Amino acid sequence: MQIQWYPGHMHKASKEIKYALPDIDLLIEILDARIPYSSQNPMLARLRGGKPCIRVLNKTDLADPELTKQWQEYLEREQAVKTLAVTTQQPDKIKQIIDLCGKMLPDRTAAGKVIRTMIMGIPNVGKSTIINVLAGRVIAKTGNEPAVTKQQQRINLGKNIVLSDTPGVLWPNVENRHSGYRLAATGAVKDTAFEHADIALYALDYLRRAYPEPLRQRYRLETLPAEAQALLEVIGAKRGCLRAGGIVELDKAAKLLLTELRAGTIGRITLETPDMIAAEMAELAEIRAEKTAEREARRPRS
């Protein structure tokens, strides 16, 4: 699957972020706790250098709590990175970000210098809601769909901390195909950019292996079919996603499944683990090596 959604304002925002980063002291990246790796922007990894970074795992009320702990430990192995696991229903915990900024830059804090921070996050990750909590007033427009924030703004948070907001930014090419599916499954990408059944089948293939019991209980199934498509058809039949002749409408069943997955109705689910990502990165390295070898083989020899 290729994500076919990269609006012009995102390209503009990426350029603005690159331009502003040299003047930023600390980065705050909002991640989706259900996909902590896939919701990271690879551009930030390339440009951050040694700048301190707070990675906020949001939507933890929808994620597997044990895996959230694993991801925090994994992410904090990186130098100058701290994590905070929150939900948008925990304003007091979100406000800990302000104190954490000061603790990560003690020299600037002691000298009374302004700490210039930048907040980033993929679309629909809850970034605007977090900004409003930090600011103590409604500044950023919120909405339960991707691409609400379309321009940068600067916000004084007090305690000598200034926050630069950025639009939610995806990237033109998601190299790891699994990440593309997960971004779509969690609602980071507009639904018009992919086939619902394609994403639902990918999600079900994972859920029947990683979370069989919540899936079975939610859809009142005694057993789970071995194949994702058969499982989607069973779910569709049980929920009345039928057309004439009793045939299951896969698109309708897929939309229902994705809606319930995103809302946490099936259960607290995390769609990737550190071990899974290690395996996928190894797979991706092989693919890159093969492509490089193919290019070298096509290159004219002198």
Side-chain angles (χ1 to χ4, degrees), residues 87-242:
T87 77
T88 51
Q89 306 305 312
Q90 297 174 309
D92 290 341
K93 196 166 186 182
I94 289 170
K95 288 176 183 176
Q96 291 177 17
I97 294 171
I98 296 174
D99 291 331
L100 192 53
C101 289
K103 289 176 182 177
M104 292 186 74
L105 290 164
D107 292 344
R108 293 191 73 85
T109 301
K113 293 182 178 179
V114 171
I115 295 175
R116 300 160 299 184
T117 69
M118 177 182 284
I119 192 165
M120 301 175 66
I122 63 171
N124 203 28
V125 78
K127 177 171 64 72
S128 294
T129 301
I130 287 174
I131 290 170
N132 292 337
V133 171
L134 292 174
R137 60 193 189 281
V138 177
I139 288 178
K141 183 181 177 183
T142 62
N144 190 27
E145 63 175 46
V148 172
T149 305
K150 296 224 171 37
Q151 60 186 3
Q152 294 193 36
Q153 54 184 332
R154 189 167 293 178
I155 306 149
N156 189 338
L157 300 182
K159 294 191 177 182
N160 272 355
I161 296 172
V162 174
L163 180 72
S164 293
D165 182 19
T166 60
V169 178
L170 280 171
W171 38 100
N173 176 36
V174 179
E175 253 193 307
N176 180 3
R177 65 185 182 87
H178 299 285
S179 289
Y181 279 101
R182 293 173 193 138
L183 287 164
T186 53
V189 181
K190 283 196 172 181
D191 283 359
T192 53
F194 55 80
E195 296 292 332
H196 294 96
D198 191 23
I199 306 305
L201 290 173
Y202 180 91
L204 278 175
D205 188 56
Y206 172 75
L207 292 174
R208 67 181 181 81
R209 289 180 282 110
Y211 296 95
E213 190 57 24
L215 199 60
R216 194 185 65 77
Q217 288 187 14
R218 176 60 190 166
Y219 298 108
R220 299 180 181 179
L221 303 172
E222 291 195 11
T223 58
L224 298 179
E227 298 297 328
Q229 179 151 338
L231 179 53
L232 184 59
E233 289 175 354
V234 169
I235 291 170
K238 274 189 164 285
R239 289 301 185 85
C241 303
L242 303 170

Side-chain angles (χ1 to χ4, degrees), residues 20-41:
L21 266 177
D23 295 323
I24 296 299
D25 302 308
L26 180 146
L27 292 155
I28 302 168
E29 185 173 23
I30 312 301
L31 306 178
D32 187 324
R34 298 167 296 177
I35 51 169
Y37 173 81
S38 295
S39 56
Q40 291 181 52
N41 192 328

